[in-house]
Amino acid sequence: MLGLMQDRPLALPHIFHRAEQLFGHKTVVTAEVNGETTTTIAELCTRVRRLATALDDLGISADGRVATFCWNTARHLELYLAAPCTGRVLHTLNIRLFPEQLVYIVGHAEDEVIFVDRSLLPLLWPLADKMPTVRAFVVIDDGADTAIPDDPRVRDYEELLAAAEPFSGDFVIEDENTAAAMCYTSGTTGNPKGVVYSHRSTVLHSVATLFADGPALSERDVLMPVVPMFHANAWGLPYGGLLAGSTLVMPGPNMAPQAIVSMLERHEVTITAGVPTIWMGVQPLLGDHDLTHLRAILCGGSAVPKALSEAYREAIGIPLLHAWGMTETSPIASVSSMRSHHEGLTEEERADARARQGYPLPLVELRIADPETGEPQPWDDEATGEVQAAGPWIAKDYYRGEGGGSQFTEDGWLRTGDVATVDRYGSFRLVDRTKDLVKSGGEWISSVELENEIMAHPKVAEAAVIGVPHEKWVERPLACVVVKPGETLTAEEVIEFLRPRVAKWWLPDAVEFIDEIPKTSVGKFSKKTLREKFGGYELPAAAER
Ligand code: ADP
C-alpha cells in the first residue's frame, strides 16, 4: 500500500518563493570595499528574477555550470538562488586555490560563466585564457578600483541585470535529484574532486540547520556566516537562513578580526559561524565589544580547542558550538549540543563534552569501523575506528565517478578518513585524520589531542603536531608552536606543561617555534605544508622520555 501524501519535489525554488512571499521585509547587509550596503529580501528576489533571465541572455545551457569567484555578499546570494532555480548548477570556486588548481577545476566542471567580484579580478583574470569553456566573466562591482579588462568576454553584472526582464511566474525543478550546486574538495592527494549537491540534499540540509539540536536558525536570528560561501556553501547557512527568514549579515572582503567583531557588534548578530582560526583571531578583541546579542558561534572544519571555546565562555558567556562535517557531507553531519545527561556535570566536564564533535543530526547515520576489516567498533568511548557516514545529504560519489572505489564502502557509506571514538550516547570524538596520526612503535598518537593540550598553554597562540621519521619508533611527534605576541616560551616549558596531561610516550620529541602555522585554502592548519617544511627533520638524539 502506498502513502497518500503529495509528492512535491524538495527543491530550491521552495526556498526562493518562501523567502519572497514571507520575508520580503527582512534585510541582507553586505560589507563592501568602502562601507556597507543594505538590501531587502524583496529587492534581492526581484534581482534574482532578473538574473534568471540574464543567464538565458548569456546563452548558458539548461544545466550549465555557473561559477562564482566571490566573497560572502548579497550578490553572491543572488547567484546561489538564480543558478539552481533555473536548473543550472552553481559552482562556487575557492578564491584561495592555486592558479593550476583553479584552471583544473573550471575545466573539469566545464564552467560556462564565472561571476567575479571586482576586488578578486587580479586573481582570476590572468587565468582567463586557460579557461576555454568560460564564455563570459561577469564582474560584480564591490567598490574596488581594480582595472576592468577591455575584452569582449568581460561583462558588467549591473548592466546585465538592468537589461534583463525579471522572470515572472514560478521557478520549477521537477526532479529533486537533479544537481543544484557543486564544490570541489581541496584533496590532499591527487586532483580535487567534485562534490555535487542535489536540490533534495540541499533542501534537507537547510531544514537541518533549523533543528533545535543544530544551529537552530529561526526568523528572529541575525545570521552572519563568516565561513566563506565557497567552503561547502558556507556550511549551508545562507540557504538555511533564507528558509528560516533570518536577517543576514555578509562580511564581504574584510576578514580581519577587528572587522568581523565590529560587524557582530554593530548588527547585533545572534548566530555566526567560522573555522577555529577565525575565532582564534577574534578572541583577544572580545573584551572591547558588546556581543550580548550572540546566542551561538558555530565552529568546525577542524577540531575546536577546548581552551578556545572556554575562553569564549569566560569572556562573553557562550562557548563555541562545535560541529563536524566535510564538503562531502553538505557539510554539517554532527553537532556537539548539550544534552540532558550533561546536567549536573562540572563546568570542566561540560567543556570536555563540548570539545567532542558531537551527535549525528537527525537523518545522518554515523558509525566507526576498523579501517582494514570494516568491522563495526563498539560505542564504548574506548575503541577507535574510521568514521563512516550515510544519509540524504551525504555524497554517494564524486563528479564523473571519480570516487575511485576506496572512498565508499560496499554498502554505500562514505569513508571519511577521520578516526574517532563514540560514547554510549552517540557523541563522536575525533582522534585524528587517518593520515595525520603519528605512528610510534606500532601505536597511534593523536596529533589533534596533543595540539589541543599545547594550545591550552596561556602563552601559545597556535600549535600543530606532525609525525617525523624516527629510526627506532618509525615516527615521533614534532610540535610546531606559535607563541603569543610579546611572550616567550621554551621547549622545556611546553613539555613540562604537557607532562601531567598526556601519556609519557606521547610527549613530543622536539618543539619548533615558528611564526605562523601554514593554513589551507579554507583556513585550516596545513599539515601537508608543515610536513614539507620539516621534511628530513633530524630529531634530537636523546628522544626517550
Ligand atoms: P578539506 O579536506 O579540504 O579540509 P573539508 O572542509 O571537507 O575539506 O574537510 C573535512 C575534514 O575536516 C573532515 O574530514 C575532518 O578531518 C575535518 N573536520 C571538520 N570538522 C571538524 C571538527 N569539528 N573537528 C575535527 N576535524 C574536523
Side-chain angles (χ1 to χ4, degrees):
M1 184 169 134
L2 286 177
L4 293 175
M5 292 293 135
Q6 298 178 8
D7 187 13
R8 307 274 290 181
L10 300 176
L12 285 169
H14 173 75
I15 295 187
F16 172 82
H17 293 301
R18 179 179 162 85
E20 188 176 49
Q21 199 169 38
L22 300 184
F23 307 124
H25 58 289
K26 303 294 300 273
T27 53
V28 186
V29 177
T30 302
E32 294 193 334
V33 174
N34 317 302
E36 286 176 4
T37 55
T38 302
T39 166
T40 63
I41 293 286
E43 286 160 353
L44 184 131
C45 288
T46 307
R47 290 171 58 88
V48 169
R49 289 179 172 281
R50 285 186 184 279
L51 181 53
T53 311
L55 291 173
D56 295 340
D57 296 346
L58 283 169
I60 308 302
S61 348
D63 67 348
R65 261 66 72 202
V66 174
T68 59
F69 198 76
C70 302
W71 300 106
N72 288 14
T73 66
R75 305 290 174 258
H76 205 169
L77 194 58
E78 290 164 8
L79 286 150
Y80 258 51
L81 292 166
C85 285
T86 59
R88 276 96 180 192
V89 183
L90 174 80
H91 178 196
T92 50
L93 295 169
N94 182 335
I95 61 171
R96 302 208 179 89
L97 288 183
F98 291 118
E100 316 79 72
Q101 286 177 312
L102 269 175
V103 167
Y104 171 82
I105 287 173
V106 167
H108 192 265
E110 297 173 286
D111 293 334
E112 294 181 24
V113 54
I114 304 181
F115 289 79
V116 46
D117 280 341
R118 186 167 175 180
S119 58
L120 295 171
L121 256 180
L123 295 178
L124 187 70
W125 185 248
L127 310 174
D129 289 337
K130 296 186 186 145
M131 298 176 166
T133 60
V134 181
R135 69 171 72 141
F137 293 82
V138 182
V139 178
I140 301 174
D141 198 343
D142 59 4
D145 54 9
T146 319
I148 296 183
D150 183 13
D151 185 290
R153 288 169 295 177
V154 175
R155 310 289 297 270
D156 176 72
Y157 188 66
E158 292 306 322
E159 279 174 19
L160 215 65
L161 254 60
E165 281 298 310
F167 167 82
S168 59
D170 288 347
F171 292 115
V172 178
I173 297 292
E174 273 166 17
D175 181 353
E176 62 183 20
N177 286 308
T178 51
M182 63 194 302
C183 186
Y184 280 73
T185 59
S186 6
T188 38
T189 51
N191 280 321
K193 294 196 281 278
V195 175
V196 184
Y197 306 116
S198 65
H199 279 267
R200 174 185 157 85
S201 73
T202 310
V203 167
L204 287 170
H205 183 268
S206 307
V207 173
T209 65
L210 277 56
F211 291 163
D213 278 319
L217 293 178
S218 86
E219 192 277 335
R220 294 172 302 286
D221 272 317
V222 180
L223 164 67
M224 179 163 126
V226 179
V227 51
M229 288 169 81
F230 55 74
H231 186 194
N233 291 341
W235 300 347
L237 298 171
Y239 287 132
L242 283 172
L243 183 65
S246 315
T247 298
L248 287 160
V249 179
M250 298 298 202
N254 195 347
M255 288 283 111
Q258 185 59 56
I260 292 171
V261 75
S262 304
M263 282 199 95
L264 291 174
E265 179 176 30
R266 198 165 53 251
H267 297 292
E268 302 186 350
V269 170
T270 62
I271 174 164
T272 180
V275 294
T277 43
I278 292 284
W279 305 123
M280 285 176 197
V282 167
Q283 189 250 322
L285 309 173
L286 292 175
D288 306 332
H289 296 270
D290 175 7
L291 299 177
T292 42
H293 290 90
L294 262 182
R295 68 164 181 83
I297 304 172
L298 194 65
C299 189
S302 48
V304 176
K306 179 173 133 188
L308 180 68
S309 186
E310 282 299 277
Y312 272 74
R313 189 179 63 76
E314 279 155 25
I316 58 170
I318 51 167
L320 303 178
L321 179 59
H322 194 176
W324 167 84
M326 316 167 70
T327 305
E328 290 86 334
T329 65
S330 291
I332 310 179
S334 75
V335 177
S336 197
S337 53
M338 286 281 99
R339 301 269 152 135
S340 53
H341 65 268
H342 295 134
E343 268 163 39
L345 294 187
T346 64
E347 208 50 77
E348 179 74 15
E349 288 165 332
R350 290 165 70 85
D352 283 333
R354 284 191 290 261
R356 301 173 72 96
Q357 279 67 19
Y359 308 88
L361 284 177
L363 305 186
V364 172
E365 290 174 72
L366 298 180
R367 67 185 183 193
I368 53 168
D370 183 300
E372 313 275 279
T373 63
E375 195 63 32
Q377 299 297 301
W379 289 19
D380 58 6
D381 217 12
E382 293 283 328
T384 57
E386 183 191 42
V387 182
Q388 300 180 347
W393 58 82
I394 313 288
K396 65 174 176 190
D397 201 351
Y398 293 96
Y399 186 47
R400 301 199 190 170
E402 288 176 0
S406 59
Q407 281 267 312
F408 299 90
T409 64
E410 268 175 22
D411 56 348
W413 290 53
L414 170 75
R415 300 183 56 168
T416 65
D418 287 331
V419 179
T421 66
V422 196
D423 72 12
R424 69 185 175 95
Y425 299 102
S427 171
F428 281 67
R429 183 174 65 84
L430 250 68
V431 174
D432 218 333
R433 281 184 141 180
T434 332
K435 52 187 174 295
D436 292 340
L437 279 165
V438 182
K439 187 165 200 182
S440 172
E443 298 283 347
W444 296 108
I445 296 176
S446 160
S447 66
V448 171
E449 229 158 280
L450 275 178
E451 286 158 11
N452 285 342
E453 294 299 349
I454 300 172
M455 285 192 278
H457 192 292
K459 292 185 182 172
V460 171
E462 296 177 331
V465 171
I466 53 169
V468 290
H470 186 279
E471 249 177 46
K472 180 168 171 198
W473 301 111
V474 183
E475 258 185 3
R476 289 294 302 159
L478 163 69
C480 305
V481 175
V482 181
V483 180
K484 281 189 182 158
E487 303 283 3
T488 51
L489 195 61
T490 63
E492 287 65 38
E493 285 174 285
V494 173
I495 299 297
E496 285 317 307
F497 182 76
L498 284 178
R499 204 177 284 283
R501 296 167 172 246
V502 301
K504 193 167 164 232
W505 61 279
W506 278 36
L507 289 173
D509 287 38
V511 180
E512 284 289 331
F513 292 97
I514 54 179
D515 293 341
E516 196 191 345
I517 308 285
K519 310 284 181 333
T520 69
S521 59
V522 290
K524 305 183 191 187
F525 291 170
S526 176
K527 301 268 184 97
K528 194 177 152 200
T529 318
L530 269 186
R531 276 192 281 264
E532 282 161 11
K533 182 177 161 82
F534 290 105
Y537 186 82
E538 301 261 340
L539 285 170
E544 312 267 339
R545 289 186 194 277

